[in-house]
Amino acid sequence: MTDILFDRSVKIAPSILAADFANFGREIEAVEAEGADWIHVDVMDGHFVPNLTFGPAMCKAIRPHIKTVMDVHLMISPVDPYIDAFAEAGADIITAHVEAGPHIHRTLQAIRGAGAKAGLALNPGTPVEVVDYLLDMVDLVCVMTVNPGFGGQKFIHSQVEKVRKLRAMIGDRPIHIEIDGGVDPITAPLVVAAGADALVAGSAVFKGGSVNNPAPYGDNIRAIRAAAAKVL
């Protein structure tokens, strides 16, 4: 696992859901070389969300290719039986949904107990107040700005105010605010101005490039970062 030092600089976390599935290792190496700060892995079970993606074995396979941070987002229910497997696969951050199970406090304890940073994800329809009694248990809160399940969806603007409220609730605690869904150079400044510091981007990073032509990945990452920097 990577030793993650906390800071509030803007992190760009490309989602490999938008990468070439036949070339994950090379895709990861390419986006990291082009400036990615974290690598975001969207795990979906076809039950909690209407899509089916990756499991612990795939995470273990790509771990040697990741030199930055492996940010694993579990869109699965139940979560608890799989925490150890994803931790053993090398996840640095494991994020679970507050909506995915009855005992989220226990889930967060289990994630930290497995040696990973604990993330908590909130769906668009979930009020920010649910994190009130969990803030001392988390290292990251992921605000979903689309409904989870598929890449390429449109950004839900009502979530910007949720980010602003969350930032006020967090205060000086060392907790990242991550945004997942519809992040691009237009929406990134909105959420960064509201207090976010980790931006998951899929199609906005991978569009126009390939493992044999990775330069567009860098252009796309720099465009998002530059847009976000304008509001800092």
Side-chain angles (χ1 to χ4, degrees):
M1 292 185 183
T2 307
D3 185 25
I4 307 171
L5 298 176
F6 181 83
D7 70 80
R8 294 203 186 281
S9 64
V10 173
K11 272 75 63 182
I12 308 296
S15 168
I16 62 169
L17 190 65
D20 177 357
F21 279 30
N23 284 293
F24 273 150
R26 291 177 63 201
E27 288 276 54
I28 288 164
E29 291 165 4
V31 290
E32 286 191 337
E34 293 292 339
D37 300 291
W38 296 357
I39 298 298
H40 189 81
V41 184
D42 288 302
V43 176
M44 307 183 194
D45 63 358
H47 165 67
F48 179 66
V49 293
N51 200 359
L52 192 61
T53 58
F54 323 118
M58 198 282 294
C59 289
K60 184 177 182 179
I62 65 172
R63 177 72 254 195
H65 299 274
I66 298 174
K67 302 297 186 284
T68 58
V69 171
M70 183 188 241
D71 176 29
V72 177
H73 179 189
L74 300 183
M75 287 169 271
I76 66 176
S77 178
V79 175
D80 294 6
Y82 301 97
I83 289 170
D84 286 346
F86 282 103
E88 290 165 8
D92 296 303
I93 304 168
I94 297 177
T95 296
H97 274 254
V98 68
E99 309 89 358
H103 304 297
I104 189 62
H105 190 282
R106 180 182 293 158
T107 299
L108 295 169
Q109 283 180 316
I111 293 171
R112 283 187 166 179
K117 298 287 188 182
L120 177 68
L122 306 179
N123 282 337
T126 300
V128 72
E129 288 77 14
V130 300
V131 307
D132 254 343
Y133 295 98
L134 298 168
L135 285 176
D136 292 330
M137 294 296 302
V138 299
D139 302 289
L140 175 149
V141 179
C142 175
V143 177
M144 295 299 301
T145 44
V146 298
N147 283 296
F150 294 97
Q153 298 184 72
K154 289 188 177 180
F155 182 88
I156 300 174
H157 283 267
S158 63
Q159 302 308 294
V160 175
E161 181 59 25
K162 183 186 287 184
V163 175
R164 192 172 290 111
K165 290 179 179 178
L166 180 61
R167 185 69 197 84
M169 292 168 68
I170 287 172
D172 60 0
R173 294 177 177 91
I175 299 172
H176 295 292
I177 298 177
E178 182 174 72
I179 304 301
D180 189 352
V183 170
D184 59 26
I186 295 172
T187 58
L190 303 178
V191 291
V192 169
D197 63 84
L199 306 178
V200 176
S203 53
V205 166
F206 286 98
K207 67 180 180 182
S210 68
V211 291
N212 296 317
N213 177 34
Y217 298 165
D219 294 339
N220 295 337
I221 289 170
R222 285 187 290 274
I224 296 169
R225 202 184 300 279
K230 291 178 181 179
V231 299
L232 294 174

